[in-house]
């Protein structure tokens, strides 16, 4: 089989897999203190690999195939400690390709197990800052391809349509009382989702605004605030990685496009995790920490809408299930090790859900 024929067959396999998949659900979530403001969770945990990153992995594979970067028999390498690696392992196995996830040695056993379940290999490194360099080395020495999600996430997704997450949200909202959301709230990992959402609402001429919520230990919020002031520094660094897995970065990634975002907020980890625990109880199933970060952003804009006398809808993303975080967010000992007081944050969150003001957040708006 020629390379061109192999690429055509590979794309066909991915498209056929997509045709066999149902869309993800849009779940209403009641906020008792905010009558007239309807909140919805786009449940990305129902993808075959259990997270929002399933969409990204599909797009990255199609983009790499169309560019001629993937070859029969050559491995696929990705720098990822979590959900992207799980999803890429799924698509690599679909195409009969070897997949190697380059990950920090501290990665949870649940995520390592999920990657190996889908046929991937885990290459652990001691220095999290060396993931890209090690991925490039492995790709070079093996003749494989480094996917590099943090560079290509914003350009691999077809943001105009093709049932991307934005188009899916608006189709599912069509019969709701407020079909065009006032806000869509997301959190940046690569920045690809905020770019897709921001581009789509502008392209379709919707008045919907995009709020991007950044976790405590991440550089995106500071970079965005600096960009608004005209002095953005792409070399800006944060001293450590995010405790909210899957979102936040210690450096500015190429896929984060600040001009696609209408506003940002910095969310304390303790409040994110309190929102995560409340949401898990409200839904009757565990969700991940990034969903909690998103819910704090939802409450932030809901309070602003209520203060302005506005009714409407807000949509956010349920990024993944909480089963992958049994060792951390659902383990009381983890909070003790991290010095996080759950009693104060739970009390603040429960009061805010009932209508009390949120603790003050650092915010920036274009």
């Amino acid at each position: 089989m020629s390379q061109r024929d192999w690429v055509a067959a590979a794309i066909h396999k991915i498209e056929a897999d997509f045709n066999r998949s149902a869309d993800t659900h849009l779940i209403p979530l009641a906020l008792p203190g905010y009558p007239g403001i309807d909140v919805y969770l786009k449940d990305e945990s129902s993808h075959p690999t259990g997270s929002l990153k399933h969409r990204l992995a599909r797009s990255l594979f199609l983009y790499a195939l169309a560019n001629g970067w993937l070859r029969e028999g050559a491995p696929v390498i990705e720098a990822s400690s979590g959900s992207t690696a799980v999803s890429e392992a799924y698509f690599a196995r679909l195409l009969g390709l070897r997949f190697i996830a380059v990950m920090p040695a501290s990665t949870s056993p649940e995520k390592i197990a999920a990657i190996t379940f889908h046929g991937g290999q885990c290459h652990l490194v001691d220095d999290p800052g060396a993931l890209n360099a090690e991925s490039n080395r492995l790709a070079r020495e093996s003749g494989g391809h480094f996917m590099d999600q943090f560079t290509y996430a914003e350009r691999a997704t077809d943001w105009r349509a093709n049932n991307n997450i934005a188009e899916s949200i608006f189709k599912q909202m069509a019969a709701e009382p407020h079909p065009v959301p006032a806000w869509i709230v997301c959190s940046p990992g690569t920045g690809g989702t905020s770019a897709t959402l921001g581009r789509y609402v502008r392209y379709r001429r919707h008045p919907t605004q995009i709020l991007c919520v950044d976790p405590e230990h991440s550089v995106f919020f500071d970079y965005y605030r600096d960009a608004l002031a005209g002095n953005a520094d792409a070399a800006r660094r944060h001293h450590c990685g995010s405790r909210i897995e899957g979102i936040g970065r210690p450096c500015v990634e190429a896929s984060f496009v600040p001009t696609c975002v209408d506003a940002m907020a910095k969310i304390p980890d303790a409040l994110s995790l309190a929102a995560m625990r409340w949401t898990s109880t409200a839904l009757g199933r565990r969700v991940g920490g990034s969903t909690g970060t998103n819910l704090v952003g939802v409450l932030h804009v809901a309070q602003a809408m209520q203060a302005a006398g506005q009714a409407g809808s807000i949509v956010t993303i349920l990024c993944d299930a909480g089963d992958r975080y049994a060792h951390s967010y659902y383990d009381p000992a983890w909070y003790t090790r991290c010095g996080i007081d759950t009693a104060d944050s739970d009390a603040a969150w429960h009061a805010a859900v009932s209508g009390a003001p949120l603790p003050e957040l650092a915010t920036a708006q274009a």
Side-chain angles (χ1 to χ4, degrees):
M1 181 185 295
S2 70
Q3 167 69 4
R4 192 68 178 268
D5 289 339
W6 180 83
V7 167
I11 291 173
H12 177 77
K13 287 179 182 178
I14 293 175
E15 294 293 290
D17 177 79
F18 175 73
N19 287 336
R20 293 191 295 268
S21 300
D23 201 355
T24 59
H25 299 291
L26 195 65
I27 302 172
L29 181 69
L31 293 182
Y34 303 88
I37 299 175
D38 302 328
V39 174
Y40 302 84
L41 294 172
K42 180 65 168 163
D43 183 9
E44 295 293 283
S45 71
S46 57
H47 284 296
T49 55
S51 82
L52 169 66
K53 298 299 186 180
H54 194 84
R55 292 183 190 268
L56 172 60
R58 180 194 293 122
S59 294
L60 287 169
F61 268 80
L62 289 172
Y63 188 70
L65 285 164
N67 284 331
W69 295 343
L70 300 184
R71 294 181 297 106
E72 184 177 13
V76 177
I77 295 99
E78 182 62 280
S80 170
S81 61
S83 296
T84 301
V86 176
S87 298
E88 288 190 20
Y90 172 93
F91 285 103
R93 183 170 66 176
L94 184 69
L95 303 186
L97 299 176
R98 180 183 171 206
F99 177 75
I100 305 169
V102 181
M103 349 171 40
S106 59
T107 300
S108 72
E110 290 91 348
K111 287 192 174 179
I112 291 173
I115 292 165
T116 55
F117 174 80
H118 289 291
Q121 299 171 244
C122 297
H123 181 85
L124 304 180
V125 298
D126 292 327
D127 179 9
L131 296 187
N132 276 24
E134 186 65 4
S135 298
N136 276 311
R137 183 189 69 80
L138 288 175
R140 186 172 59 251
E141 294 180 0
S142 67
H145 174 64
F146 172 30
M147 278 290 202
D148 196 2
Q149 58 168 325
F150 293 105
T151 295
Y152 296 109
E154 59 89 9
R155 67 194 74 172
T157 299
D158 184 352
W159 48 268
R160 295 173 187 85
N162 195 27
N163 197 38
N164 65 38
I165 191 169
E167 183 184 45
S168 177
I169 286 170
F170 278 89
K171 282 184 176 179
Q172 291 176 318
M173 286 292 294
E176 299 301 316
H178 304 285
V180 177
W183 288 89
I184 298 177
V185 179
C186 65
S187 41
T190 61
T193 299
S194 60
T196 296
L197 292 168
R199 288 165 173 164
Y200 184 87
V201 298
R202 288 164 175 78
Y203 178 64
R204 294 296 183 188
R205 301 177 299 283
H206 294 305
T208 304
Q209 297 188 81
I210 308 301
L211 172 67
C212 203
V213 284
D214 204 26
E216 184 175 326
H217 294 295
S218 176
V219 75
F220 288 126
F221 174 81
D222 295 325
Y223 176 70
Y224 178 79
R225 184 178 55 190
D226 291 347
L228 293 181
N231 58 353
D233 179 9
R236 177 185 275 275
R237 295 288 186 273
H238 191 74
H239 68 278
C240 66
S242 174
R243 286 186 295 205
I244 307 300
E245 292 190 38
I247 61 172
R249 293 290 293 165
C251 59
V252 181
E253 302 295 350
S255 283
F256 180 68
V257 185
T259 48
C260 286
V261 174
D262 296 289
M264 285 198 74
K266 190 81 164 177
I267 312 298
D269 291 350
L271 195 58
S272 290
L273 296 170
M276 175 202 75
R277 293 189 294 274
W278 179 88
T279 305
S280 296
T281 300
L283 296 179
R285 59 188 175 94
R286 289 178 171 181
V287 301
S290 54
T291 301
T293 305
N294 288 345
L295 258 293
V296 179
V298 166
L299 211 55
H300 171 69
V301 293
Q303 291 190 344
M305 289 173 65
Q306 187 178 67
Q310 298 174 349
S313 60
I314 305 168
V315 178
T316 193
I317 301 169
L318 195 168
C319 303
D320 61 2
D323 298 342
R324 295 175 181 175
Y325 309 102
H327 74 290
S328 55
Y329 309 143
Y330 292 96
D331 179 5
W334 182 85
Y335 290 91
T336 301
R337 291 194 300 272
C338 293
I340 295 176
D341 185 335
T342 58
D344 286 350
S345 56
D346 280 343
W349 177 255
H350 282 267
V353 167
S354 299
L358 273 170
E360 187 173 354
L361 305 175
T363 61
Q365 187 157 1

